[in-house]
Amino acid sequence: TQLLEQSPQFLSIQEGENLTVYCNSSSVFSSLQWYRQEPGEGPVLLVTVVTGGEVKKLKRLTFQFGDARKDSSLHITAAQTGDTGLYLCAGVDGGSAGNQFYFGTGTSLTVIP
Amino acid sequence: DSGVTQTPKHLITATGQRVTLRCSPRSGDLSVYWYQQSLDQGLQFLIQYYNGEERAKGNILERFSAQQFPDLHSELNLSSLELGDSALYFCASSVASSRSPLHFGNGTRLTVT
């Protein structure tokens, strides 16, 4: 079993603050994905990182894949109330008969106006 | 809209009963995954099918079973239901590429009373 630990589990911050969420594993993955889930909906993909050391930026969100492809971080700058949700990382192992996705434990973010 | 359709959206049933959850994957996706999400928790992987064949099993109880049909839709059968089975059940689909994301449906909320 490949486990991904996310920290923190819960985060409540004021609008405008910065935050970082961590996703750690002892396993190496082909790629790593971050999803955001809003109440009553399914998770939606934010980004896929593939190369060790890769950094991807999506507006105020910065994603980094560790050099050894075992861990990742998500940094949000100047958080907004619309960032509220459950953030999930997922390690991906590719295969000819479909990928294996290993989800992290989740980080529940609340941004207070 | 993810392109993944799950029915029904809500299901209320009594302990000991049996229910069937249905999922139609995104057009062209051969892999179907089932996940269980309890309140404020991450996603627990149940089972994966690829092109009609079982590909991987997670923490799926013996009371639960699933199948993927030739038209690629999938059904998750839950029997001898217990109060603890109350949860959101998500179906997701994907193509077999290591960079491809999971596309989630909006889930079926099961309440066992």
Side-chain angles (χ1 to χ4, degrees), chain A residues 6-28:
Chain A
Q6 285 185 238
S7 61
Q9 188 177 359
F10 297 97
L11 194 51
S12 181
I13 62 170
Q14 293 290 136
E15 198 168 27
E17 292 184 345
N18 302 332
L19 66 115
T20 302
V21 177
Y22 299 93
C23 173
N24 296 299
S25 173
S26 58
S27 301
V28 177

Side-chain angles (χ1 to χ4, degrees), chain A residues 31 33 35 37 40-43 45 48 50 86 88 92 95-101 103 105, chain B residues 31 33 35 37 42-43 48 50 55-56 90 94-102 104-106:
Chain A
S31 62
Q33 299 176 341
Y35 293 77
Q37 183 181 16
E41 299 181 6
L45 179 75
T48 300
V50 179
L86 179 67
L88 296 158
V92 186
S96 59
N99 294 326
Q100 296 289 296
F101 295 83
F103 277 90
T105 46
Chain B
S31 285
Y33 305 75
Y35 290 88
Q37 186 176 43
L43 292 167
Q48 177 203 353
Y50 177 82
R55 166 75 172 93
F90 285 103
S94 176
V95 297
S97 164
S98 65
R99 301 189 186 201
S100 297
L102 280 172
F104 284 85
N106 280 332

Side-chain angles (χ1 to χ4, degrees), chain A residues 6-81:
Chain A
Q6 285 185 238
S7 61
Q9 188 177 359
F10 297 97
L11 194 51
S12 181
I13 62 170
Q14 293 290 136
E15 198 168 27
E17 292 184 345
N18 302 332
L19 66 115
T20 302
V21 177
Y22 299 93
C23 173
N24 296 299
S25 173
S26 58
S27 301
V28 177
F29 296 103
S30 303
S31 62
L32 193 135
Q33 299 176 341
W34 285 92
Y35 293 77
R36 184 172 75 202
Q37 183 181 16
E38 299 188 22
E41 299 181 6
V44 176
L45 179 75
L46 294 175
V47 77
T48 300
V49 285
V50 179
T51 307
E54 181 177 0
V55 176
K56 272 192 176 177
K57 286 193 172 187
L58 295 176
K59 296 183 181 178
R60 295 176 295 99
L61 277 60
T62 301
F63 304 85
Q64 186 162 6
F65 201 12
D67 290 340
R69 303 204 334 267
K70 294 181 181 180
D71 52 79
S72 180
S73 64
L74 157 61
H75 182 79
I76 300 179
T77 304
Q80 300 176 356
T81 55

